[in-house]
Amino acid sequence: MSMDFNALAETYGTPLYVYDFDAMRAQYETLKEAFRGRKSLISYAVKANSNLSVVKQFADLGAGADCVSIGEVRRAMMAGVPKYKVIFSGVGKRDDEIREAIERDILYINLESEAELGRVEMIAQELGQVARISIRVNPNIDPKTHPYISTGLHDNKFGVEIDAAKRMYIRANASEWLEPVGIHFHIGSQLTELDPIREASEIVADLVRSLKAAIGIELKFFDIGGGLGIRYKDETTITPYDYAQAVLSTLTGMDITVVCEPGRFMTANAGYFLTRVLYEKQNGAKRFVVVDGAMNDLIRPSLYSAYHRIAPATAHEGDETPADIVGPVCESGDFLAKEYPLPPMAHNDLLVVHSAGAYGFGMGSNYNTRGRAAEVAVEAGADRLIRDRESFEDLVAPELKYLG
Ligand SMILES: *Cc1c(COP(=O)(O)O)cnc(C)c1O
């Protein structure tokens, strides 16, 4: 779909996030279709892009929500995700978060340690309410992605080993206050290879079979996590169909609902970050293009050396030469790209940063007292604001009242 980025920047100002809602919907539908003929739930990973209008669109399509804080659980339910499609994951849940999740009667809580199982059991007992649980297994598979986003190896903090998982299922099964309904794994993000997924799925499916054979536990949900990779540059990605087939091939003969928790896949390539050029400058041999968007708006390049395609919104004269595209934040690590080929740029020229719909706005901060950008949805050719640009007053309000 072609978008008039100049008009959007003119209307809403910069820096600005723009989301193509039609593209998001297409991603959901493609993935749902890949699991056709099988009981499945696409449970959108809210952290990828937690704007209420984004979550609402997925809820309207029938998606569930994978949440990693009680704040995300509240967001999901506020956006219309029914409680029986809400999953609460995460390695460190506080007591008050566990309590609220049980009270809200969500689909299940993903447990990540034996200690956490004990806390959930105790809180469920206090409430006099049974907690549905799932256990996150760490299958010790190298997902072959960036170390910061790989989660399925024993040296990552996530999940529990197979033996610990077995002990936990036995304990949960015996508990009056716990109902084990699912099993979960999530080996990493931006996965572009199928083999690690198939291997992990096989290991976990075997565990499901042995739990049934040994202790008679019949799990209802086989939660394969998220992680489906997307194309930022020239990556070869996995197709949703092959992804689904790889998982389903490990589940033959099992009557179990497949739950999938995609985040990046659903929103990344539907999002654009718009930023205007402030200045060009040359320090010795080095060319800098200084823009009004910064690491507080989009931290992925600084945090993971992530690549985002960046292009001027309108065609430019002149040869492209490499430039560091940097923001105004007072950190040398504040850049959107390094040595990126750009034509000569002038004051107020618009740059479009692609693939910015996931882990973009949500990882933003107010560092350097910068208000976070506005967010805009484009749907069926019409645009609308879905989050106000943060004002200076918004930023100081929680502090100002203490000045006296
Ligand atoms: C982050 C996360 C996801 C989503 O990951 P993507 O790579 O964005 O698909 C899914 N499940 C869990 C438990 C997560 O922590």
Side-chain angles (χ1 to χ4, degrees), residues 45 47-48 66 68 89 136 184 186 188-190 225-228 261-265 359:
K47 72 176 187 284
D66 177 62
V68 291
S89 308
R136 178 165 178 176
H184 176 239
H186 171 75
S189 200
Q190 185 54 12
L228 197 50
E261 304 170 343
R264 188 188 312 273
F265 174 83
Y359 307 108

Side-chain angles (χ1 to χ4, degrees), residues 8-20:
L8 291 165
E10 197 63 46
T11 306
Y12 300 102
T14 58
L16 182 72
Y17 275 98
V18 176
Y19 308 126
D20 179 345

